[in-house]
């Protein structure tokens, strides 16, 4: 983690605790709104899936065309968030970004500590969509994202990877990235982008030195680029 100077914050990187800069204001507002709508839409689709497939570990390996489409949409949203975070922070744009670039976001946000639970599915284990994400294997260390790539590049042989579990994990990843960028409050039940499927259970707990600290006396905040 790289601490931010007093009165500054990193664009599209929320840090739990400390003071709260205006992450959803100014240039971030359109991205925030789009991200929130995507979370709601994805969770609505996932809820529709649960009308036909009972959520539970005994159905984790169920797969089919509808699940495949939802996996593709969710992983596309994940890539949009990854790119948005890097772009907002001035990350070099030479060449095409890959997971070798995107994995750097984990060390800036603590995504691997985020946990999500399925609402009203008591026996379903907590979901850690980014746990184990490593720079040494930035694609295959995310099983749901690796599944997406396998299906995308050879659907005929790999359709069985578009499982219910991978879809749930990918949707949870979209939800976690939304909170990791803009904070958890807008995405809680009853708030602006609340929904009835996923609930944030745990976030990364920053050290005091790493949270954002505003200027005493209510001075303005200054957005700065994270040094990826």
């Amino acid at each position: 983690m790289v601490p931010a100077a007093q009165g500054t914050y990193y664009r599209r990187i929320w840090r739990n605790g400390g003071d709260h800069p205006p992450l959803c204001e100014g240039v971030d507002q359109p991205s925030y709104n789009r991200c929130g709508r995507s979370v709601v839409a994805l969770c609505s689709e996932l809820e529709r899936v649960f009308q036909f497939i009972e959520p539970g570990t005994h159905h984790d390996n169920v797969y089919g065309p509808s699940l495949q489409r939802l996996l593709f949409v969710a992983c596309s949203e994940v890539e949009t968030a990854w790119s948005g975070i890097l772009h907002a922070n001035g990350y070099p744009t030479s060449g095409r970004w890959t997971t070798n670039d995107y994995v750097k976001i984990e060390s800036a946000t603590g995504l691997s500590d985020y946990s999500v639970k399925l609402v009203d599915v008591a026996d379903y284990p907590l979901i850690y969509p980014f746990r184990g994400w490593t720079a040494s294997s930035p694609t295959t260390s995310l099983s749901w994202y690796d599944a997406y790539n396998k299906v995308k590049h050879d659907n005929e042989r790999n359709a069985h990877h578009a499982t219910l579990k991978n879809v749930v994990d990918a949707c949870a990843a979209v939800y976690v990235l939304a909170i990791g960028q803009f904070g958890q409050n807008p995405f809680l039940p009853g708030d602006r982008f609340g929904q009835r499927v996923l609930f944030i259970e745990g976030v990364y707990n920053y050290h005091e030195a790493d949270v954002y600290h505003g200027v005493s006396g209510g001075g303005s905040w200054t957005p700065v680029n994270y040094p990826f």
Side-chain angles (χ1 to χ4, degrees), residues 49-81:
V49 165
F50 291 161
Q51 293 175 3
F52 300 95
I53 306 173
E54 185 70 21
T57 54
H58 50 294
H59 288 152
D60 273 353
N61 293 323
V62 172
Y63 68 93
S66 294
L67 289 173
Q68 182 183 123
R69 285 190 290 272
L70 188 51
L71 179 66
F72 278 31
V73 172
C75 288
S76 176
E77 288 298 330
V78 166
E79 292 172 337
T80 296

Side-chain angles (χ1 to χ4, degrees), residues 35-198:
C35 177
R37 289 192 295 267
S38 296
V39 168
V40 172
L42 269 177
C43 287
S44 177
E45 289 297 319
L46 187 57
E47 189 173 25
R48 189 172 293 112
V49 165
F50 291 161
Q51 293 175 3
F52 300 95
I53 306 173
E54 185 70 21
T57 54
H58 50 294
H59 288 152
D60 273 353
N61 293 323
V62 172
Y63 68 93
S66 294
L67 289 173
Q68 182 183 123
R69 285 190 290 272
L70 188 51
L71 179 66
F72 278 31
V73 172
C75 288
S76 176
E77 288 298 330
V78 166
E79 292 172 337
T80 296
W82 284 342
S83 297
I85 293 168
L86 292 185
H87 186 269
N89 284 278
Y91 190 80
T93 56
S94 57
R96 176 178 170 270
W97 292 339
T98 68
T99 49
N100 290 311
D101 303 290
Y102 298 141
V103 72
K104 298 175 183 178
I105 294 171
E106 202 289 321
S107 63
T109 58
L111 289 176
S112 60
D113 279 10
Y114 280 64
S115 61
V116 177
K117 69 177 181 180
L118 283 181
V119 176
D120 295 331
V121 187
D123 60 344
Y124 202 88
L126 284 179
I127 306 160
Y128 290 85
F130 291 100
R131 174 163 285 183
W133 195 17
T134 63
S136 59
S137 53
T139 297
T140 57
S141 59
L142 295 177
S143 57
W144 50 270
Y145 190 75
D146 188 41
Y148 156 70
N149 273 288
K150 284 183 169 70
V151 177
K152 180 175 65 174
H153 294 298
D154 193 347
N155 182 31
E156 185 172 330
R157 292 176 177 82
N158 293 321
H160 62 283
H161 288 290
T163 64
L164 179 63
K165 182 181 188 307
N166 284 327
V167 167
V168 169
D169 288 354
C171 290
V174 175
Y175 181 54
V176 162
L177 279 166
I179 292 171
Q181 292 178 84
F182 303 111
Q184 59 184 336
N185 287 346
F187 303 96
L188 295 176
D191 217 302
R192 184 172 182 183
F193 297 118
Q195 36 71 41
R196 301 176 297 181
V197 181
L198 302 175

Side-chain angles (χ1 to χ4, degrees), residues 9 20-26 28 220-222:
Y9 69 95
H20 297 286
L23 287 176
C24 305
E25 300 296 333
D28 295 313
S220 60
W221 289 87
T222 303

Side-chain angles (χ1 to χ4, degrees), residues 1-6 8 10 15-18 205-213:
M1 299 290 172
V2 179
Q6 187 173 12
T8 68
Y10 298 122
R15 291 191 166 179
N16 185 40
N205 291 315
Y206 287 91
H207 297 296
E208 177 63 23
D210 295 327
V211 299
Y212 297 130
H213 296 283

